Structures are given as C-alpha cells and as structure tokens.
C-alpha cells in the first residue's frame, strides 16, 4: 500500500510545534508515512534572510518557536501549492483570518482523496451564518476534513510536557478513517490524542474558549483573584455549550465537559494563553488590542478578540445578543469602550 505524504499548512507557534511531532511520528511509523514532511511558511524576512531558508538551515523556527529543534525531515516551503503537492494528509494550522486566502490558492491543487485536519481555533461568520473551519476547508477543497483541538499551549507541547488533545471527526466511514490516520500522526507518550465523533463540538470549543479567555484576562487585569476567574470560566463554558447547541446540529455535551478540547482547553487558556495575557494588559495599560498584539506577541496572532466580534455579529443578526451575557460583555469591553469593572455586573 502507498505511504501517506504529510503537509503542514502553517508554521507559527502551534504550527511549528505540531510539525515537530508530525516529523518524529512519520519516522516512527515509517510503514505508514513517507519520511519527508512539508511545512508551508508564509515568507518573511528574518534578520536579512528568508525565514523558510533559516528554518531549513537551522532546523528551528527562531521567530515563532525559538529554542525548539525540528527534526531534519521537516522541510520549510514558502509556496503553499508546492508544499501540498502529492500530499495525502494535510494539516491546517494557520491563524483563522488567513485560511480563506490560503484555500483559494490551494483550490484544485490538492489530491481529491487527501485527508485534512483543521487545528484552527476560530469561526467564520458571513451573511448572518456561522461556519467552522473544518467545513470551510472541506467545502473549499473538496476533501474530508476533521478537527483537532485541546489544552495545548504550543511552547509546552514543544518541550514534550504532558498534554492531551482531541480529534473530532465526521460520522461517515471516511471520517473515522481520517481520525485514525491523524491519531497515528500525532499521538505520542506525552501528547495523548483522544477521538470523538463531533467535528463541530471540538471546533467550537477551540474557538469559543478564546472569548472566555479574554474575560479571564480582564479579571487578572483588575486583580479580582482566582474565584472571579473560576466564575468566568464556569459561565463561559455554559455559554459555549449553549451557543454551539443553538447554532449547530448534533454537538455532543460530553465534548464540552469531558474532553481536552472542552473544559481542559478552557482552563489552560484562561491560565496561560496569549488571549488572557493581552486582555490583562488591555485593562492595565488601556492600549487597544491590535497594539498589544504587536507589542507582546512578536508576530503571533490573537484569535479571541476577532472571535468575540464575529460571535457578536452573528448574535446581533439573530437578535440573541442578550442571551449570552459573557460574550456580550467581552465584546462591549473590547470594542465599545465599556469599563472592564462592569464585567460581572453584566453577567
Ligand atoms: P501564530 O499565532 O504563531 O501566528 C503567526 C503565523 O501566522 C506565522 O506562521 C505567520 O507567518 C502567519 N501569517 C502571518 N500573516 C499571514 C498571512 N497573511 N497569510 C498566511 N499566514 C500568515 O500561529 P499559531 O500559534 O500556529 O496558531 C495557528 C492556529 O492554531 C490558531 O487558530 C491558534 O488559535 C491555534 N492554536 C494555537 C496554539 C498555541 O499555543 N500557539 C495552541 C493550539 C491551537
Ligand atoms: P492562546 O491563543 O490564547 O495562547 O491559546 C492557546 C491555546 O489554544 C491553548 O490550547
């Protein structure tokens, strides 16, 4: 049987961490996977050289995952079309605002029998409709796409500190086959992959917990302590679940309460994530989020503020803004100049 060829579409903080795991596992399972793993790099200058060249020379991504050695079989490629050529397994791991443009470039260029997985934590809202990116990719490229999400701060995963993650797959036979292949690509003794038949639930948990993490960061900025943050997490989890059940058919309640994609990711992001960090700084400095993203994240991208805006746009279009007081409060504080002190009085 022909071996699977893997391409990683993305090379940011998480993209690089996951390329490292995929590179090791393709070597470990050389009966299933081809040796080389292509990694698409959005080209930029790094200290006078193209970043893709630096990665291939040093086997490190010094801009987005400094200090972490990538295996030699991970090959950086500045062309997305070239990176996915002949690939039978595609891993999408870009900040959500860039997916549409990359899919546009890849349309008609991928193997129609390829399997894809989305590691993107975000949603798309357009014309009063909401989509998960596994569906956006599946429809744009005509290939089966599942989702992976979990309590996975990239810098910790890159150091092989223990974590769990969750693959959410589709109900058909191809969906299950897809999940089993990606399980083999990612599961390691310190990165434990669980599988659930719930592509929407897993995707929505990953997107919506970022909005809750903004609220958690506000409580940190205000110095409100751990009880207040736990309350925000509890209320946030309820809103995440209610929102997902309201707008998507068939999401499973246990995805929210029992998987790494659900409650565990909510906790880790509210404790140690970038959204939390920038929201704390937003309260403490009064600077806008786009400025804080530039100052604090060195090119990495916030997903929670955009998602708060997108969720608000959908709820406004459906006349449901007041049904989700935490999501509403995050939007009002981040975008409408409402004082963060008002957070809890609005819940
Ligand atoms: P990141 O936050 O490091 O973002 C930077 C990446 O975006 C770089 O690779 C950069 O080249 C790329 N980029 C910038 N402009 C671009 C453009 N115009 N077109 C295409 N690419 C462009 O990215 P990340 O941490 O790898 O996150 C990717 C996804 O994974 C996000 O949805 C994120 O929420 C999710 N995620 C992140 C983590 C984490 O800890 N970092 C963990 C789990 C999931
Ligand atoms: P941040 O984007 O807030 O850093 O969250 C990372 C993450 O998704 C951890 O699972």
């Amino acid at each position: 049987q022909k071996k699977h060829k893997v391409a990683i579409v993305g090379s940011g903080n998480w993209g690089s961490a996951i390329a490292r795991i995929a590179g090791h596992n393709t070597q470990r399972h050389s009966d299933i996977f081809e040796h080389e793993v292509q990694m698409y790099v959005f080209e930029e200058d790094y200290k006078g050289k193209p970043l893709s060249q630096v990665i291939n020379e040093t086997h490190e991504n010094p801009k987005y995952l400094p200090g972490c050695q990538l295996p030699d079989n991970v090959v950086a490629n500045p062309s997305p079309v070239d990176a996915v050529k002949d690939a039978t397994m595609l891993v999408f791991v870009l900040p959500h605002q860039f997916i549409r443009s990359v899919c546009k470039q890849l349309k008609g260029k991928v193997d129609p029998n390829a399997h894809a997985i989305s590691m993107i934590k975000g949603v798309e809202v357009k014309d009063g409709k909401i989509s998960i990116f596994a569906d956006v990719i599946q429809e744009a490229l005509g290939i089966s796409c599942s989702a992976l999400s979990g309590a996975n701060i990239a810098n910790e995963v890159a150091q092989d500190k223990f974590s769990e993650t969750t693959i959410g797959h589709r109900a058909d036979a191809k969906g299950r086959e897809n999940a089993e292949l990606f399980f083999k690509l990612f599961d390691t003794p310190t990165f434990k992959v669980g599988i659930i038949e719930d592509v929407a639930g897993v995707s929505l948990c990953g997107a919506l917990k970022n909005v809750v993490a903004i609220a958690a960061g506000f409580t940190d900025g205000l110095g409100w302590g751990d009880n207040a943050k736990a309350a925000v997490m509890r209320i946030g989890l309820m809103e995440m679940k209610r929102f997902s059940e309201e707008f998507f058919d068939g999401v499973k309640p246990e995805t929210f309460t029992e998987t790494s994609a659900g409650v565990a990711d909510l906790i880790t992001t509210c404790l140690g994530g970038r959204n939390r960090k920038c929201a704390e700084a937003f309260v403490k400095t009064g600077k806008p989020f786009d400025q804080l993203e530039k100052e604090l994240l060195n090119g990495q991208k916030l997903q929670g503020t955009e998602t708060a805006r997108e969720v608000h746009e959908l709820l406004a279009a459906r006349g449901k803004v007041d049904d989700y007081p935490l999501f509403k409060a995050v939007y009002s504080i981040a975008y409408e100049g409402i004082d963060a002190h008002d957070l809890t009085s609005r819940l």
Side-chain angles (χ1 to χ4, degrees):
Q1 205 185 337
K2 214 166 164 279
K3 292 183 187 181
H4 282 284
K5 186 168 179 347
V6 177
I8 313 285
V9 182
S11 54
N13 188 232
W14 184 223
S16 303
I18 214 68
R20 174 179 170 274
I21 290 180
H24 284 308
N25 271 3
T26 50
Q27 295 187 37
R28 195 167 129 220
H29 303 296
S30 57
D31 52 326
I32 306 173
F33 302 113
E34 280 188 20
H35 183 71
E36 187 180 284
V37 172
Q38 284 279 320
M39 178 173 78
Y40 162 57
V41 173
F42 179 76
E43 196 67 287
E44 64 184 276
D45 178 85
Y46 182 79
K47 298 188 176 170
K49 276 188 179 179
L51 180 61
S52 59
Q53 186 187 332
V54 175
I55 294 172
N56 285 334
E57 284 171 6
T58 62
H59 302 291
E60 183 192 345
N61 184 342
K63 171 91 187 265
Y64 295 107
L65 192 62
C68 173
Q69 195 67 23
L70 301 174
D72 294 2
N73 57 328
V74 172
V75 177
N77 191 330
S79 158
V81 172
D82 207 40
V84 305
K85 193 169 175 291
D86 301 326
T88 54
M89 291 174 69
L90 304 175
V91 179
F92 285 86
V93 56
L94 289 162
H96 78 285
Q97 53 271 46
F98 307 128
I99 289 297
R100 274 280 172 199
S101 69
V102 170
C103 280
K104 220 176 257 171
Q105 296 174 65
L106 296 183
K107 197 171 163 57
K109 304 285 194 321
V110 301
D111 180 339
N113 294 314
H115 293 270
I117 198 162
S118 162
M119 299 203 174
I120 298 140
K121 294 185 176 175
V123 286
E124 181 180 86
V125 172
K126 230 164 79 185
D127 306 327
K129 274 179 63 190
I130 181 168
S131 312
I132 56 167
F133 279 99
D135 287 348
V136 169
I137 293 163
Q138 177 155 304
E139 280 155 30
L141 303 180
I143 54 178
S144 167
C145 189
S146 56
L148 180 148
S149 191
N152 302 142
I153 304 266
N155 294 338
E156 296 180 17
V157 174
Q159 293 171 60
D160 284 331
K161 292 181 175 173
F162 183 82
S163 70
E164 299 179 307
T165 199
T166 312
I167 290 176
H169 69 85
R170 298 178 192 275
D172 54 16
K174 188 140 191 201
R176 181 76 210 178
E177 182 196 342
N178 175 311
E180 280 165 9
L181 276 170
F182 282 108
F183 175 92
K184 279 270 194 281
L185 185 64
F186 295 128
D187 187 70
T188 78
T190 54
F191 189 65
K192 298 301 293 175
V193 180
I195 297 179
I196 189 165
E197 188 190 297
D198 186 4
V199 65
V202 166
S203 303
L204 291 161
C205 280
L208 297 173
K209 60 87 191 174
N210 284 335
V211 181
V212 185
I214 300 277
F218 290 155
T219 69
D220 284 339
L222 293 160
W224 280 358
D226 296 337
N227 296 338
K229 198 195 274 191
V232 158
M233 289 193 230
R234 183 195 71 77
I235 296 163
L237 186 60
M238 296 300 113
E239 290 193 15
M240 287 164 55
K241 187 163 161 289
R242 192 146 38 80
F243 180 96
S244 302
E245 287 168 351
E246 178 156 6
F247 294 107
F248 287 81
D249 290 333
V251 293
K252 294 184 169 164
E254 61 265 34
T255 302
F256 295 80
T257 51
E258 293 177 25
T259 72
S260 179
V263 64
D265 192 16
L266 178 69
I267 293 169
T268 204
T269 309
C270 288
L271 297 181
R274 301 167 296 186
N275 287 288
R276 186 220 66 79
K277 178 177 168 174
C278 290
E280 178 181 18
F282 176 85
V283 172
K284 286 186 167 163
T285 66
K287 293 179 184 174
F289 273 105
D290 51 353
Q291 187 181 344
L292 291 166
E293 183 185 64
K294 285 198 185 82
E295 286 179 10
L296 300 178
L297 300 186
N298 189 34
Q300 294 180 36
K301 299 290 175 194
L302 278 183
Q303 304 283 266
T305 43
E306 262 301 286
T307 306
R309 193 189 55 69
E310 288 155 339
V311 163
H312 182 81
E313 185 185 320
L314 179 80
L315 292 174
R318 304 288 178 98
K320 303 254 179 189
V321 169
D322 291 330
D323 294 355
Y324 296 90
L326 183 75
F327 292 167
K328 181 183 177 184
V330 169
Y331 177 80
S332 299
I333 294 165
Y335 289 100
E336 295 180 322
I338 300 297
D339 192 330
H341 283 93
D342 286 354
L343 177 65
T344 45
S345 67
R346 289 169 170 262
L347 300 181

